[in-house]
Amino acid sequence: MLPTSQLYIKTKAFFGNPYILKEVEGTKIALLSLGYHNTNLTGNSKNMNDLEFRRGNEVLNEILHELKEQADIIVLLSHQGTAVDRLIAEEFSEIDMILGGHSHDLISGPERIINTFMVQAMADAAALGEIELKIRDRKLTGVKALHHFLWLSDYEKDPEMGSLIEELRAPHRGPPGGEHSNGNRGDPQAIQK
């Protein structure tokens, strides 16, 4: 997992370098991540007192020139949402590929916006994305993207994995018949109302 490039503690980057560079058969590929800039408004504020979340386009304005000097291809791992990813692709044509998240859309084939390819594969492990990058002369020339649905009903339950999940959940469950978050004690009907 890459650290998000817009997370700061009192104006200092929290994770340090927000990108990694990989060389694959002579082609230098930069992987840059952007998290959701409103995380502090949607998460538990007690966990984020000293954190600052910056807008993705502000960070991109600061960092893309540096990345372009170091990499042949720039891939953005985005948790900004599809609508914002489209705006990013329009504004920052030097980004070659956006692997998006947050809005839980399914983009079945790569969408192309100006010079940027964009994909997203739903949410909650409902689909597994498979992406093949076509590279010629150290430039991204095409993208083949597939998704494979992972519906639970298509697979038999694995007893060993089921036991492990139950074991991991056990410490987080209240006592049987105990008070639930809605204030009702042990009444399944009351919980669903």
Side-chain angles (χ1 to χ4, degrees):
M1 181 172 152
L2 276 176
T4 180
S5 57
Q6 75 234 64
L7 179 59
Y8 289 76
I9 290 184
K10 301 188 184 203
T11 71
K12 180 182 176 195
F14 184 66
F15 291 109
N17 195 358
Y19 60 85
I20 59 172
L21 295 167
K22 294 283 185 182
E23 189 167 332
V24 180
E25 297 181 15
T27 300
K28 295 176 185 170
I29 301 172
L31 299 170
L32 169 69
S33 64
L34 289 176
Y36 181 49
H37 62 277
N38 283 329
T39 297
N40 59 323
L41 302 176
T42 58
N44 184 341
S45 61
K46 292 177 185 176
N47 295 333
M48 297 177 248
N49 285 335
D50 294 330
L51 301 179
E52 173 190 355
F53 294 85
R54 296 178 57 207
R55 298 183 68 76
N57 60 344
E58 293 173 9
V59 174
L60 291 171
N61 276 322
E62 293 172 8
I63 204 166
L64 276 180
H65 180 71
E66 173 187 332
L67 270 182
K68 199 61 182 165
E69 290 178 352
Q70 298 180 60
D72 303 309
I73 296 171
I74 298 173
V75 176
L76 174 63
L77 308 176
S78 170
H79 197 254
Q80 300 279 295
T82 302
V84 174
D85 288 346
R86 287 185 177 119
L87 293 172
I88 286 172
E90 289 173 6
E91 185 176 349
F92 301 98
S93 61
E94 56 267 64
I95 296 173
D96 299 288
M97 175 87 198
I98 298 175
L99 303 175
H102 182 70
S103 52
H104 304 175
D105 295 325
L106 176 66
I107 300 174
S108 58
E111 183 176 329
R112 188 154 189 188
I113 301 168
I114 307 174
N115 298 321
T116 305
F117 294 94
M118 191 173 87
V119 296
Q120 190 175 117
M122 295 181 66
D124 305 318
L128 174 66
E130 178 183 352
I131 301 167
E132 179 183 317
L133 303 181
K134 297 174 185 178
I135 299 171
R136 173 176 269 155
D137 299 324
R138 298 192 329 255
K139 301 290 178 208
L140 183 62
T141 59
V143 174
K144 180 181 176 185
L146 302 171
H147 59 271
H148 308 280
F149 288 111
L150 302 174
W151 305 123
L152 287 176
S153 60
D154 292 343
Y155 300 92
E156 285 188 40
K157 189 174 183 178
D158 181 287
E160 188 176 335
M161 185 57 69
S163 294
L164 176 61
I165 291 169
E166 288 303 313
E167 180 184 323
L168 293 171
R169 284 182 176 168
H172 306 286
R173 290 199 171 119
E179 188 155 340
H180 296 279
S181 61
N182 65 0
N184 297 301
R185 293 186 170 271
D187 181 1
Q189 296 295 326
I191 294 169
Q192 294 177 357
K193 290 181 185 172

